[in-house]
PDB file of all heavy atoms in Angstrom:
ATOM      1  N   ALA A 870     137.086 102.076 101.978  1.00 94.00           N
ATOM      2  CA  ALA A 870     136.603 103.336 101.408  1.00 94.00           C
ATOM      3  C   ALA A 870     135.761 104.099 102.430  1.00 94.00           C
ATOM      4  O   ALA A 870     135.834 105.336 102.507  1.00 94.00           O
ATOM      5  CB  ALA A 870     135.784 103.059 100.146  1.00 94.00           C
ATOM      6  N   VAL A 871     134.991 103.379 103.220  1.00 92.00           N
ATOM      7  CA  VAL A 871     134.181 104.026 104.252  1.00 92.00           C
ATOM      8  C   VAL A 871     135.074 104.685 105.300  1.00 92.00           C
ATOM      9  O   VAL A 871     134.758 105.755 105.822  1.00 92.00           O
ATOM     10  CB  VAL A 871     133.223 103.010 104.900  1.00 92.00           C
ATOM     11  CG1 VAL A 871     132.471 103.648 106.068  1.00 92.00           C
ATOM     12  CG2 VAL A 871     132.235 102.470 103.875  1.00 92.00           C
ATOM     13  N   CYS A 872     136.218 104.055 105.607  1.00 93.00           N
ATOM     14  CA  CYS A 872     137.163 104.652 106.557  1.00 93.00           C
ATOM     15  C   CYS A 872     137.646 106.008 106.064  1.00 93.00           C
ATOM     16  O   CYS A 872     137.703 106.986 106.822  1.00 93.00           O
ATOM     17  CB  CYS A 872     138.363 103.730 106.770  1.00 93.00           C
ATOM     18  SG  CYS A 872     137.986 102.179 107.576  1.00 93.00           S
ATOM     19  N   TYR A 873     138.013 106.062 104.794  1.00 95.00           N
ATOM     20  CA  TYR A 873     138.483 107.329 104.225  1.00 95.00           C
ATOM     21  C   TYR A 873     137.368 108.360 104.203  1.00 95.00           C
ATOM     22  O   TYR A 873     137.587 109.556 104.467  1.00 95.00           O
ATOM     23  CB  TYR A 873     139.022 107.100 102.810  1.00 95.00           C
ATOM     24  CG  TYR A 873     140.422 106.529 102.799  1.00 95.00           C
ATOM     25  CD1 TYR A 873     140.636 105.169 102.655  1.00 95.00           C
ATOM     26  CD2 TYR A 873     141.536 107.359 102.947  1.00 95.00           C
ATOM     27  CE1 TYR A 873     141.917 104.631 102.660  1.00 95.00           C
ATOM     28  CE2 TYR A 873     142.820 106.838 102.956  1.00 95.00           C
ATOM     29  CZ  TYR A 873     142.999 105.474 102.812  1.00 95.00           C
ATOM     30  OH  TYR A 873     144.264 104.957 102.824  1.00 95.00           O
ATOM     31  N   LEU A 874     136.147 107.911 103.892  1.00 95.00           N
ATOM     32  CA  LEU A 874     135.003 108.818 103.888  1.00 95.00           C
ATOM     33  C   LEU A 874     134.766 109.371 105.284  1.00 95.00           C
ATOM     34  O   LEU A 874     134.539 110.570 105.471  1.00 95.00           O
ATOM     35  CB  LEU A 874     133.761 108.076 103.387  1.00 95.00           C
ATOM     36  CG  LEU A 874     132.544 108.936 103.019  1.00 95.00           C
ATOM     37  CD1 LEU A 874     132.869 109.824 101.828  1.00 95.00           C
ATOM     38  CD2 LEU A 874     131.349 108.032 102.686  1.00 95.00           C
ATOM     39  N   TRP A 875     134.849 108.507 106.289  1.00 94.00           N
ATOM     40  CA  TRP A 875     134.646 108.924 107.673  1.00 94.00           C
ATOM     41  C   TRP A 875     135.714 109.930 108.104  1.00 94.00           C
ATOM     42  O   TRP A 875     135.436 110.860 108.867  1.00 94.00           O
ATOM     43  CB  TRP A 875     134.669 107.696 108.584  1.00 94.00           C
ATOM     44  CG  TRP A 875     134.049 107.934 109.923  1.00 94.00           C
ATOM     45  CD1 TRP A 875     134.652 108.463 111.022  1.00 94.00           C
ATOM     46  CD2 TRP A 875     132.700 107.659 110.311  1.00 94.00           C
ATOM     47  NE1 TRP A 875     133.771 108.526 112.080  1.00 94.00           N
ATOM     48  CE2 TRP A 875     132.574 108.040 111.671  1.00 94.00           C
ATOM     49  CE3 TRP A 875     131.601 107.104 109.660  1.00 94.00           C
ATOM     50  CZ2 TRP A 875     131.374 107.894 112.367  1.00 94.00           C
ATOM     51  CZ3 TRP A 875     130.418 106.958 110.365  1.00 94.00           C
ATOM     52  CH2 TRP A 875     130.309 107.352 111.689  1.00 94.00           C
ATOM     53  N   GLN A 876     136.926 109.739 107.597  1.00 93.00           N
ATOM     54  CA  GLN A 876     138.042 110.596 107.984  1.00 93.00           C
ATOM     55  C   GLN A 876     137.972 111.965 107.312  1.00 93.00           C
ATOM     56  O   GLN A 876     138.224 112.987 107.952  1.00 93.00           O
ATOM     57  CB  GLN A 876     139.365 109.917 107.617  1.00 93.00           C
ATOM     58  CG  GLN A 876     140.608 110.667 108.050  1.00 93.00           C
ATOM     59  CD  GLN A 876     140.952 110.441 109.510  1.00 93.00           C
ATOM     60  OE1 GLN A 876     140.318 109.643 110.183  1.00 93.00           O
ATOM     61  NE2 GLN A 876     141.950 111.138 110.012  1.00 93.00           N
ATOM     62  N   TYR A 877     137.627 111.986 106.020  1.00 95.00           N
ATOM     63  CA  TYR A 877     137.762 113.215 105.251  1.00 95.00           C
ATOM     64  C   TYR A 877     136.439 113.873 104.876  1.00 95.00           C
ATOM     65  O   TYR A 877     136.431 115.047 104.508  1.00 95.00           O
ATOM     66  CB  TYR A 877     138.567 112.933 103.976  1.00 95.00           C
ATOM     67  CG  TYR A 877     139.970 112.460 104.264  1.00 95.00           C
ATOM     68  CD1 TYR A 877     140.353 111.153 104.003  1.00 95.00           C
ATOM     69  CD2 TYR A 877     140.916 113.318 104.830  1.00 95.00           C
ATOM     70  CE1 TYR A 877     141.631 110.699 104.284  1.00 95.00           C
ATOM     71  CE2 TYR A 877     142.194 112.881 105.119  1.00 95.00           C
ATOM     72  CZ  TYR A 877     142.550 111.572 104.840  1.00 95.00           C
ATOM     73  OH  TYR A 877     143.811 111.123 105.128  1.00 95.00           O
ATOM     74  N   ALA A 878     135.341 113.137 104.954  1.00 96.00           N
ATOM     75  CA  ALA A 878     134.033 113.712 104.630  1.00 96.00           C
ATOM     76  C   ALA A 878     132.999 113.153 105.615  1.00 96.00           C
ATOM     77  O   ALA A 878     132.118 112.378 105.244  1.00 96.00           O
ATOM     78  CB  ALA A 878     133.636 113.383 103.187  1.00 96.00           C
ATOM     79  N   PRO A 879     133.121 113.526 106.891  1.00 94.00           N
ATOM     80  CA  PRO A 879     132.292 112.896 107.927  1.00 94.00           C
ATOM     81  C   PRO A 879     130.796 113.093 107.740  1.00 94.00           C
ATOM     82  O   PRO A 879     130.010 112.219 108.102  1.00 94.00           O
ATOM     83  CB  PRO A 879     132.791 113.553 109.222  1.00 94.00           C
ATOM     84  CG  PRO A 879     133.492 114.803 108.797  1.00 94.00           C
ATOM     85  CD  PRO A 879     134.067 114.509 107.461  1.00 94.00           C
ATOM     86  N   THR A 880     130.378 114.219 107.174  1.00 96.00           N
ATOM     87  CA  THR A 880     128.942 114.423 106.965  1.00 96.00           C
ATOM     88  C   THR A 880     128.382 113.382 106.010  1.00 96.00           C
ATOM     89  O   THR A 880     127.299 112.822 106.247  1.00 96.00           O
ATOM     90  CB  THR A 880     128.661 115.838 106.421  1.00 96.00           C
ATOM     91  OG1 THR A 880     129.174 116.803 107.357  1.00 96.00           O
ATOM     92  CG2 THR A 880     127.157 116.058 106.247  1.00 96.00           C
ATOM     93  N   TRP A 881     129.102 113.119 104.936  1.00 95.00           N
ATOM     94  CA  TRP A 881     128.679 112.059 104.006  1.00 95.00           C
ATOM     95  C   TRP A 881     128.722 110.700 104.694  1.00 95.00           C
ATOM     96  O   TRP A 881     127.865 109.859 104.470  1.00 95.00           O
ATOM     97  CB  TRP A 881     129.571 112.047 102.776  1.00 95.00           C
ATOM     98  CG  TRP A 881     129.341 113.188 101.840  1.00 95.00           C
ATOM     99  CD1 TRP A 881     128.453 114.207 102.008  1.00 95.00           C
ATOM    100  CD2 TRP A 881     130.009 113.434 100.616  1.00 95.00           C
ATOM    101  NE1 TRP A 881     128.529 115.085 100.957  1.00 95.00           N
ATOM    102  CE2 TRP A 881     129.473 114.634 100.090  1.00 95.00           C
ATOM    103  CE3 TRP A 881     131.023 112.786  99.917  1.00 95.00           C
ATOM    104  CZ2 TRP A 881     129.910 115.167  98.881  1.00 95.00           C
ATOM    105  CZ3 TRP A 881     131.464 113.322  98.711  1.00 95.00           C
ATOM    106  CH2 TRP A 881     130.902 114.496  98.197  1.00 95.00           C
ATOM    107  N   ALA A 882     129.742 110.486 105.522  1.00 94.00           N
ATOM    108  CA  ALA A 882     129.874 109.202 106.210  1.00 94.00           C
ATOM    109  C   ALA A 882     128.706 108.969 107.162  1.00 94.00           C
ATOM    110  O   ALA A 882     128.180 107.851 107.254  1.00 94.00           O
ATOM    111  CB  ALA A 882     131.199 109.167 106.989  1.00 94.00           C
ATOM    112  N   TRP A 883     128.279 109.999 107.875  1.00 93.00           N
ATOM    113  CA  TRP A 883     127.133 109.860 108.774  1.00 93.00           C
ATOM    114  C   TRP A 883     125.871 109.511 107.987  1.00 93.00           C
ATOM    115  O   TRP A 883     125.078 108.674 108.407  1.00 93.00           O
ATOM    116  CB  TRP A 883     126.922 111.150 109.563  1.00 93.00           C
ATOM    117  CG  TRP A 883     128.009 111.426 110.555  1.00 93.00           C
ATOM    118  CD1 TRP A 883     128.777 110.509 111.225  1.00 93.00           C
ATOM    119  CD2 TRP A 883     128.478 112.708 110.958  1.00 93.00           C
ATOM    120  NE1 TRP A 883     129.695 111.145 112.021  1.00 93.00           N
ATOM    121  CE2 TRP A 883     129.541 112.488 111.892  1.00 93.00           C
ATOM    122  CE3 TRP A 883     128.129 114.020 110.644  1.00 93.00           C
ATOM    123  CZ2 TRP A 883     130.225 113.542 112.495  1.00 93.00           C
ATOM    124  CZ3 TRP A 883     128.811 115.066 111.253  1.00 93.00           C
ATOM    125  CH2 TRP A 883     129.844 114.821 112.160  1.00 93.00           C
ATOM    126  N   TRP A 884     125.699 110.167 106.837  1.00 94.00           N
ATOM    127  CA  TRP A 884     124.530 109.884 105.998  1.00 94.00           C
ATOM    128  C   TRP A 884     124.553 108.438 105.521  1.00 94.00           C
ATOM    129  O   TRP A 884     123.549 107.721 105.604  1.00 94.00           O
ATOM    130  CB  TRP A 884     124.516 110.837 104.796  1.00 94.00           C
ATOM    131  CG  TRP A 884     123.432 110.540 103.801  1.00 94.00           C
ATOM    132  CD1 TRP A 884     122.136 110.948 103.857  1.00 94.00           C
ATOM    133  CD2 TRP A 884     123.561 109.756 102.599  1.00 94.00           C
ATOM    134  NE1 TRP A 884     121.432 110.473 102.765  1.00 94.00           N
ATOM    135  CE2 TRP A 884     122.278 109.737 101.982  1.00 94.00           C
ATOM    136  CE3 TRP A 884     124.608 109.074 101.987  1.00 94.00           C
ATOM    137  CZ2 TRP A 884     122.044 109.061 100.789  1.00 94.00           C
ATOM    138  CZ3 TRP A 884     124.374 108.408 100.793  1.00 94.00           C
ATOM    139  CH2 TRP A 884     123.102 108.402 100.215  1.00 94.00           C
ATOM    140  N   LEU A 885     125.725 107.992 105.050  1.00 92.00           N
ATOM    141  CA  LEU A 885     125.848 106.627 104.555  1.00 92.00           C
ATOM    142  C   LEU A 885     125.663 105.614 105.675  1.00 92.00           C
ATOM    143  O   LEU A 885     124.970 104.600 105.507  1.00 92.00           O
ATOM    144  CB  LEU A 885     127.218 106.436 103.894  1.00 92.00           C
ATOM    145  CG  LEU A 885     127.530 105.034 103.349  1.00 92.00           C
ATOM    146  CD1 LEU A 885     126.548 104.675 102.241  1.00 92.00           C
ATOM    147  CD2 LEU A 885     128.968 104.974 102.828  1.00 92.00           C
ATOM    148  N   MET A 886     126.248 105.880 106.839  1.00 91.00           N
ATOM    149  CA  MET A 886     126.145 104.950 107.950  1.00 91.00           C
ATOM    150  C   MET A 886     124.709 104.835 108.457  1.00 91.00           C
ATOM    151  O   MET A 886     124.274 103.760 108.879  1.00 91.00           O
ATOM    152  CB  MET A 886     127.081 105.372 109.080  1.00 91.00           C
ATOM    153  CG  MET A 886     127.265 104.319 110.160  1.00 91.00           C
ATOM    154  SD  MET A 886     127.951 102.754 109.539  1.00 91.00           S
ATOM    155  CE  MET A 886     129.635 103.262 109.147  1.00 91.00           C
ATOM    156  N   ASN A 887     123.970 105.932 108.397  1.00 92.00           N
ATOM    157  CA  ASN A 887     122.557 105.878 108.792  1.00 92.00           C
ATOM    158  C   ASN A 887     121.772 104.947 107.883  1.00 92.00           C
ATOM    159  O   ASN A 887     120.930 104.171 108.340  1.00 92.00           O
ATOM    160  CB  ASN A 887     121.948 107.275 108.769  1.00 92.00           C
ATOM    161  CG  ASN A 887     122.377 108.123 109.962  1.00 92.00           C
ATOM    162  OD1 ASN A 887     122.835 107.586 110.967  1.00 92.00           O
ATOM    163  ND2 ASN A 887     122.233 109.427 109.846  1.00 92.00           N
ATOM    164  N   ARG A 888     122.050 105.023 106.587  1.00 91.00           N
ATOM    165  CA  ARG A 888     121.357 104.154 105.637  1.00 91.00           C
ATOM    166  C   ARG A 888     121.782 102.688 105.809  1.00 91.00           C
ATOM    167  O   ARG A 888     120.945 101.781 105.850  1.00 91.00           O
ATOM    168  CB  ARG A 888     121.635 104.611 104.199  1.00 91.00           C
ATOM    169  CG  ARG A 888     121.011 105.961 103.855  1.00 91.00           C
ATOM    170  CD  ARG A 888     121.368 106.381 102.438  1.00 91.00           C
ATOM    171  NE  ARG A 888     120.817 105.457 101.445  1.00 91.00           N
ATOM    172  CZ  ARG A 888     119.602 105.561 100.915  1.00 91.00           C
ATOM    173  NH1 ARG A 888     118.786 106.537 101.304  1.00 91.00           N
ATOM    174  NH2 ARG A 888     119.181 104.701 100.013  1.00 91.00           N
ATOM    175  N   MET A 889     123.077 102.472 105.910  1.00 90.00           N
ATOM    176  CA  MET A 889     123.583 101.109 106.101  1.00 90.00           C
ATOM    177  C   MET A 889     123.166 100.552 107.465  1.00 90.00           C
ATOM    178  O   MET A 889     122.829  99.375 107.596  1.00 90.00           O
ATOM    179  CB  MET A 889     125.110 101.096 105.976  1.00 90.00           C
ATOM    180  CG  MET A 889     125.627 101.437 104.594  1.00 90.00           C
ATOM    181  SD  MET A 889     127.429 101.634 104.564  1.00 90.00           S
ATOM    182  CE  MET A 889     127.950 100.005 105.117  1.00 90.00           C
ATOM    183  N   GLY A 890     123.195 101.424 108.474  1.00 90.00           N
ATOM    184  CA  GLY A 890     122.873 100.990 109.816  1.00 90.00           C
ATOM    185  C   GLY A 890     121.431 100.555 109.959  1.00 90.00           C
ATOM    186  O   GLY A 890     121.129  99.587 110.671  1.00 90.00           O
ATOM    187  N   LYS A 891     120.529 101.239 109.280  1.00 92.00           N
ATOM    188  CA  LYS A 891     119.111 100.877 109.345  1.00 92.00           C
ATOM    189  C   LYS A 891     118.898  99.464 108.821  1.00 92.00           C
ATOM    190  O   LYS A 891     118.174  98.659 109.424  1.00 92.00           O
ATOM    191  CB  LYS A 891     118.284 101.879 108.541  1.00 92.00           C
ATOM    192  CG  LYS A 891     116.780 101.685 108.665  1.00 92.00           C
ATOM    193  CD  LYS A 891     116.036 102.789 107.958  1.00 92.00           C
ATOM    194  CE  LYS A 891     114.519 102.629 108.132  1.00 92.00           C
ATOM    195  NZ  LYS A 891     113.780 103.727 107.452  1.00 92.00           N
ATOM    196  N   ARG A 892     119.558  99.142 107.713  1.00 91.00           N
ATOM    197  CA  ARG A 892     119.441  97.797 107.148  1.00 91.00           C
ATOM    198  C   ARG A 892     120.097  96.763 108.060  1.00 91.00           C
ATOM    199  O   ARG A 892     119.579  95.666 108.249  1.00 91.00           O
ATOM    200  CB  ARG A 892     120.095  97.762 105.764  1.00 91.00           C
ATOM    201  CG  ARG A 892     119.926  96.425 105.034  1.00 91.00           C
ATOM    202  CD  ARG A 892     120.774  96.393 103.780  1.00 91.00           C
ATOM    203  NE  ARG A 892     120.661  97.618 103.001  1.00 91.00           N
ATOM    204  CZ  ARG A 892     121.563  98.005 102.099  1.00 91.00           C
ATOM    205  NH1 ARG A 892     122.637  97.253 101.892  1.00 91.00           N
ATOM    206  NH2 ARG A 892     121.393  99.117 101.419  1.00 91.00           N
ATOM    207  N   ARG A 893     121.230  97.132 108.651  1.00 89.00           N
ATOM    208  CA  ARG A 893     121.939  96.217 109.542  1.00 89.00           C
ATOM    209  C   ARG A 893     121.084  95.881 110.770  1.00 89.00           C
ATOM    210  O   ARG A 893     121.031  94.721 111.205  1.00 89.00           O
ATOM    211  CB  ARG A 893     123.258  96.867 109.969  1.00 89.00           C
ATOM    212  CG  ARG A 893     124.143  96.045 110.882  1.00 89.00           C
ATOM    213  CD  ARG A 893     125.424  96.817 111.151  1.00 89.00           C
ATOM    214  NE  ARG A 893     126.256  96.214 112.172  1.00 89.00           N
ATOM    215  CZ  ARG A 893     127.139  95.250 111.963  1.00 89.00           C
ATOM    216  NH1 ARG A 893     127.299  94.775 110.745  1.00 89.00           N
ATOM    217  NH2 ARG A 893     127.861  94.773 112.954  1.00 89.00           N
ATOM    218  N   ILE A 894     120.418  96.877 111.314  1.00 93.00           N
ATOM    219  CA  ILE A 894     119.559  96.654 112.475  1.00 93.00           C
ATOM    220  C   ILE A 894     118.357  95.794 112.107  1.00 93.00           C
ATOM    221  O   ILE A 894     117.966  94.892 112.870  1.00 93.00           O
ATOM    222  CB  ILE A 894     119.110  98.004 113.075  1.00 93.00           C
ATOM    223  CG1 ILE A 894     120.312  98.737 113.667  1.00 93.00           C
ATOM    224  CG2 ILE A 894     118.034  97.789 114.137  1.00 93.00           C
ATOM    225  CD1 ILE A 894     120.010 100.160 114.091  1.00 93.00           C
ATOM    226  N   GLN A 895     117.778  96.040 110.933  1.00 91.00           N
ATOM    227  CA  GLN A 895     116.648  95.225 110.486  1.00 91.00           C
ATOM    228  C   GLN A 895     117.066  93.771 110.328  1.00 91.00           C
ATOM    229  O   GLN A 895     116.341  92.849 110.739  1.00 91.00           O
ATOM    230  CB  GLN A 895     116.110  95.771 109.152  1.00 91.00           C
ATOM    231  CG  GLN A 895     115.378  97.107 109.283  1.00 91.00           C
ATOM    232  CD  GLN A 895     115.001  97.706 107.943  1.00 91.00           C
ATOM    233  OE1 GLN A 895     115.521  97.298 106.888  1.00 91.00           O
ATOM    234  NE2 GLN A 895     114.108  98.683 107.960  1.00 91.00           N
ATOM    235  N   ASN A 896     118.248  93.527 109.734  1.00 88.00           N
ATOM    236  CA  ASN A 896     118.742  92.164 109.587  1.00 88.00           C
ATOM    237  C   ASN A 896     118.997  91.513 110.946  1.00 88.00           C
ATOM    238  O   ASN A 896     118.699  90.326 111.145  1.00 88.00           O
ATOM    239  CB  ASN A 896     120.048  92.162 108.768  1.00 88.00           C
ATOM    240  CG  ASN A 896     119.813  92.499 107.317  1.00 88.00           C
ATOM    241  OD1 ASN A 896     118.691  92.377 106.809  1.00 88.00           O
ATOM    242  ND2 ASN A 896     120.847  92.931 106.632  1.00 88.00           N
ATOM    243  N   PHE A 897     119.531  92.294 111.875  1.00 87.00           N
ATOM    244  CA  PHE A 897     119.815  91.773 113.211  1.00 87.00           C
ATOM    245  C   PHE A 897     118.520  91.363 113.905  1.00 87.00           C
ATOM    246  O   PHE A 897     118.445  90.285 114.510  1.00 87.00           O
ATOM    247  CB  PHE A 897     120.535  92.855 114.023  1.00 87.00           C
ATOM    248  CG  PHE A 897     120.759  92.492 115.467  1.00 87.00           C
ATOM    249  CD1 PHE A 897     121.738  91.586 115.834  1.00 87.00           C
ATOM    250  CD2 PHE A 897     119.983  93.079 116.460  1.00 87.00           C
ATOM    251  CE1 PHE A 897     121.944  91.253 117.153  1.00 87.00           C
ATOM    252  CE2 PHE A 897     120.181  92.755 117.806  1.00 87.00           C
ATOM    253  CZ  PHE A 897     121.162  91.844 118.145  1.00 87.00           C
ATOM    254  N   LYS A 898     117.502  92.196 113.822  1.00 88.00           N
ATOM    255  CA  LYS A 898     116.234  91.892 114.478  1.00 88.00           C
ATOM    256  C   LYS A 898     115.527  90.693 113.858  1.00 88.00           C
ATOM    257  O   LYS A 898     114.795  89.978 114.549  1.00 88.00           O
ATOM    258  CB  LYS A 898     115.317  93.123 114.437  1.00 88.00           C
ATOM    259  CG  LYS A 898     115.768  94.253 115.350  1.00 88.00           C
ATOM    260  CD  LYS A 898     114.785  95.403 115.299  1.00 88.00           C
ATOM    261  CE  LYS A 898     115.161  96.490 116.312  1.00 88.00           C
ATOM    262  NZ  LYS A 898     114.223  97.649 116.293  1.00 88.00           N
ATOM    263  N   SER A 899     115.777  90.481 112.566  1.00 86.00           N
ATOM    264  CA  SER A 899     115.147  89.346 111.891  1.00 86.00           C
ATOM    265  C   SER A 899     115.979  88.067 111.988  1.00 86.00           C
ATOM    266  O   SER A 899     115.617  87.037 111.440  1.00 86.00           O
ATOM    267  CB  SER A 899     114.874  89.685 110.415  1.00 86.00           C
ATOM    268  OG  SER A 899     116.088  89.930 109.722  1.00 86.00           O
ATOM    269  N   GLY A 900     117.130  88.157 112.651  1.00 78.00           N
ATOM    270  CA  GLY A 900     117.967  86.982 112.877  1.00 78.00           C
ATOM    271  C   GLY A 900     118.931  86.649 111.768  1.00 78.00           C
ATOM    272  O   GLY A 900     119.543  85.576 111.765  1.00 78.00           O
ATOM    273  N   VAL A 901     119.140  87.582 110.831  1.00 73.00           N
ATOM    274  CA  VAL A 901     120.075  87.358 109.721  1.00 73.00           C
ATOM    275  C   VAL A 901     121.490  87.677 110.172  1.00 73.00           C
ATOM    276  O   VAL A 901     121.737  88.742 110.712  1.00 73.00           O
ATOM    277  CB  VAL A 901     119.701  88.234 108.501  1.00 73.00           C
ATOM    278  CG1 VAL A 901     120.716  88.020 107.378  1.00 73.00           C
ATOM    279  CG2 VAL A 901     118.304  87.905 108.043  1.00 73.00           C
TER     280      VAL A 901
END
C-alpha cells in the first residue's frame, strides 16, 4: 500500500515516511 501511495500521492507518502522513519531510526539507535 505504501508503494501505491508513493507512486500516486507522493506528498502523503513523504509525510507518512517521515513519521515511520523517525520511529525506525529511534529503534535502530536503541538496538531494536
